[in-house]
Amino acid sequence: MPQAFSKIPKISYDGPSSRKDLSFKQYNPDELVEGKTMKDHFRFSVTYWHTFRGQLSDMFGVGTAVRPWEDGSNSVGMAQKRARVAFEFMEKLGVPYYAFHDRDVAPEGRNLKESNRNLDSVVKVLKQEQKRTGIKLLWGTACLFAHPRYVHGASTSCNADAFAYAAAQVKKAMEVTHELGGEGYVFWGGREGYSTLLNTNLKREMDHLAAFLHMAVDYKKKIGFKGQFYIEPKPKEPTKHQYDSDAAACLNFLREYDLLKHFKLNLETNHATLAGHTMQHELEVAIAADALGSIDANMGDILLGWDTDQFPTDIYLAAQVMLSILRMGGFTTGGTNFDAKVRRESFEPEDLFHGHIAGMDTFARGLKIAAAIRKDGRIGDFLKQRYASWDSGIGEKIEKRKVGFKELETYALKLGEVRTNKSGRQEWLESLFNQFV
Ligand code: XUL
Ligand code: CO
């Protein structure tokens, strides 16, 4: 075993008044909330790409990350060692899941065959480590955006060869996800969009994206992979416009191409805000279509207009997210995946623990707040009352489609004027919410 974190204790729950830095103050995995353990509510997951591959560089400066276990090479041997370090980290942190892109875990080779062979060599170690620790794969995915061959996109490339190569790469990534017992597979369209419409046939590219996803559905059946497929919306970055721009656009795309029954959404907070939405909006849109599968937990910075992927530390936001998730009935195949990276200034290995502890404690607080709001019942009752006119009388007749414009005209003529509107009570509701935070 590499012993990369020998000075770090196993992170355990120490209670809200603890002064021990490397401990949970809120996240108590076995504590029951609404009859379910916190561990099962969240199904927390560590992302391989940020936590074990992130160099902490930005567009103005080189990476600052200090990772003593790295030997500076991009060899298969280093990838295997890194996999063991990753499991040591996850074990100490006490998370039940992780997620990866194919190229995070193993280096790209000189050709596809070599890349696949590299991947197999590391998957062998991942499998051993999963077995040793009981940590499972929440979802796998393929990196279809970093290599220059995907300069114009992968399945939406203007070049059919790039489509073919991407298909082969996803085929292999699905196979290894299946082999590792992954509970899902994510499609995030990194470069599936455009930089200018002057060089883009939008309709043709979207048709190709749909064809690609149909091929993935077919192959999933062929290999007997039972995990859930997810689309992860994001409006832009690196492209100016990404086709999977937000939850509504994804749902529309999936419906138009007859794919909705095969996919759910993996929603990410910072992607929601880049799209000009709140995370709660995105969650509610997905839940309304029975299509919320999983979340990438992070947050952005209101003063920085890009995907900063910060660890989620906003308790108010976490409470809103957990309210929606509790109302939905919780995750089944999905979970709370920290698609988040420590800041460039937080370059020591210990910071990886602090980032995750902060995120897990924030979500635990959010869950407790959301459960308390639900138990109190006043916000829920208000919402129910607000729509009471639809439970009987003319509202019920409209919902049941028993009346049309003609009958409604007769009703409105008799009504004279609408005199039954009541206050929306936004300020009262916000104040009430705050009583639980
Ligand atoms: C990029 C992003 C991806 C996906 C997986 O913004 O969120 O890392 O989560 O490809
Ligand atoms: Co993500």
Side-chain angles (χ1 to χ4, degrees):
M1 290 308 297
Q3 294 287 327
F5 305 103
S6 54
K7 293 204 183 76
I8 307 273
K10 167 105 179 84
I11 312 298
S12 55
Y13 175 67
D14 217 30
S17 55
S18 168
R19 294 176 68 91
K20 201 168 124 196
D21 285 337
L22 289 166
S23 74
F24 296 120
K25 317 293 184 293
Q26 302 290 336
Y27 177 63
N28 185 6
D30 300 320
E31 186 178 324
L32 293 177
V33 177
E34 296 197 1
K36 192 158 119 182
T37 63
M38 282 198 184
K39 186 176 175 207
D40 289 343
H41 270 290
F42 296 118
R43 297 159 54 85
F44 282 128
S45 158
V46 166
T47 60
Y48 212 95
W49 53 100
H50 286 311
T51 299
F52 304 110
R53 303 314 313 271
Q55 308 293 309
L56 308 187
S57 58
D58 66 20
M59 53 280 224
F60 295 100
V62 297
T64 57
V66 175
R67 304 290 181 252
W69 55 87
E70 294 283 336
D71 66 9
S73 81
N74 195 21
S75 67
V76 173
M78 183 58 238
Q80 290 175 320
K81 179 181 171 195
R82 189 184 297 121
R84 294 202 168 91
V85 170
F87 275 81
E88 185 192 341
F89 173 83
M90 295 188 285
E91 227 187 339
K92 286 220 154 147
L93 186 63
V95 282
Y97 288 99
Y98 73 113
F100 66 73
H101 299 89
D102 50 0
R103 301 298 179 252
D104 306 331
V105 290
E108 176 113 23
R110 278 163 304 181
N111 51 48
L112 186 61
K113 215 170 176 178
E114 194 177 289
S115 297
N116 288 350
R117 207 167 40 232
N118 292 350
L119 190 52
D120 285 335
S121 307
V122 183
V123 164
K124 223 185 311 167
V125 178
L126 294 172
K127 210 170 177 179
Q128 284 165 8
E129 289 295 291
Q130 286 188 196
K131 198 156 172 234
R132 183 182 69 76
T133 60
I135 294 168
K136 295 188 271 189
L137 179 62
L138 186 67
W139 48 262
T141 186
C143 176
L144 303 179
F145 42 88
H147 195 279
R149 80 175 69 87
Y150 301 126
V151 60
H152 301 303
S155 66
T156 63
S157 175
C158 48
N159 183 350
D161 282 353
F163 183 110
Y165 204 106
Q169 201 180 318
V170 168
K171 173 182 176 288
K172 180 68 181 172
M174 281 171 62
E175 285 163 8
V176 303
T177 300
H178 184 36
E179 189 183 339
L180 290 169
E183 297 186 20
Y185 187 93
V186 162
F187 294 84
W188 168 62
R191 293 184 193 274
E192 312 296 34
Y194 59 81
S195 290
T196 170
L197 283 167
L198 287 173
N199 68 12
T200 303
N201 185 332
L202 181 141
K203 167 82 172 112
R204 214 163 174 188
E205 292 198 3
M206 288 181 70
D207 285 351
H208 295 163
L209 176 57
F212 193 91
L213 296 177
H214 272 292
M215 288 179 200
V217 168
D218 292 345
Y219 194 65
K220 179 177 190 251
K221 278 188 203 138
K222 193 170 157 56
I223 61 174
F225 174 51
K226 298 276 185 293
Q228 176 65 50
F229 269 178
Y230 306 104
I231 300 266
E232 183 178 323
K234 184 176 181 182
K236 57 188 168 192
E237 200 204 76
T239 59
K240 170 162 102 172
H241 176 85
Q242 190 175 302
Y243 297 130
D244 303 328
S245 53
D246 64 5
C250 286
L251 291 169
N252 180 56
F253 171 85
L254 292 169
R255 267 191 211 103
E256 184 178 347
Y257 289 98
D258 196 24
L259 284 160
L260 192 53
K261 57 182 171 297
H262 304 293
F263 287 83
K264 287 195 186 291
L265 301 184
N266 177 41
L267 297 176
E268 178 166 327
T269 317
N270 208 164
H271 296 180
T273 47
L274 282 179
H277 302 309
T278 62
M279 179 61 164
Q280 208 181 9
H281 166 89
E282 289 292 83
L283 290 166
E284 291 298 321
V285 168
I287 291 169
D290 192 24
L292 176 63
S294 201
I295 62 169
D296 270 9
N298 62 15
M299 64 180 195
D301 184 309
I302 45 164
L303 298 183
L304 297 172
W306 65 88
D307 196 15
T308 59
D309 281 343
Q310 287 164 233
F311 275 93
T313 53
D314 183 336
I315 292 168
Y316 201 95
L317 176 65
Q320 290 177 330
V321 168
M322 292 318 296
L323 255 185
S324 291
I325 289 174
L326 286 179
R327 200 179 317 125
M328 175 182 81
F331 294 121
T332 48
T333 53
T336 309
N337 176 52
F338 288 114
D339 195 350
K341 59 185 176 211
V342 290
R343 298 302 84 196
R344 188 166 183 267
E345 298 85 346
S346 308
F347 47 79
E348 294 175 13
E350 183 180 314
D351 291 307
L352 297 174
F353 284 93
H354 291 307
H356 286 87
I357 290 170
M360 291 160 84
D361 270 346
T362 300
F363 264 81
R365 265 299 289 287
L367 171 65
K368 288 185 224 172
I369 292 165
I373 289 172
R374 280 158 60 85
K375 189 163 176 230
D376 172 80
R378 277 176 288 171
I379 293 180
D381 289 347
F382 180 84
L383 195 62
K384 196 166 177 321
Q385 267 310 310
R386 191 155 187 253
Y387 291 88
S389 70
W390 296 91
D391 295 335
S392 60
I394 196 68
E396 190 184 13
K397 283 187 188 141
I398 297 170
E399 277 197 351
K400 292 190 169 149
R401 299 280 176 91
K402 295 231 166 87
V403 287
F405 274 10
K406 205 169 159 311
E407 293 78 10
L408 292 175
E409 182 192 47
T410 312
Y411 181 86
L413 284 169
K414 239 191 275 166
L415 195 63
E417 190 44 85
V418 177
R419 296 184 206 284
T420 41
N421 276 332
K422 292 191 184 120
S423 168
R425 293 268 190 274
Q426 180 170 339
E427 297 76 10
W428 174 75
L429 287 161
E430 287 168 351
S431 167
L432 184 53
F433 194 105
N434 281 351
Q435 287 175 31
F436 297 90
V437 179

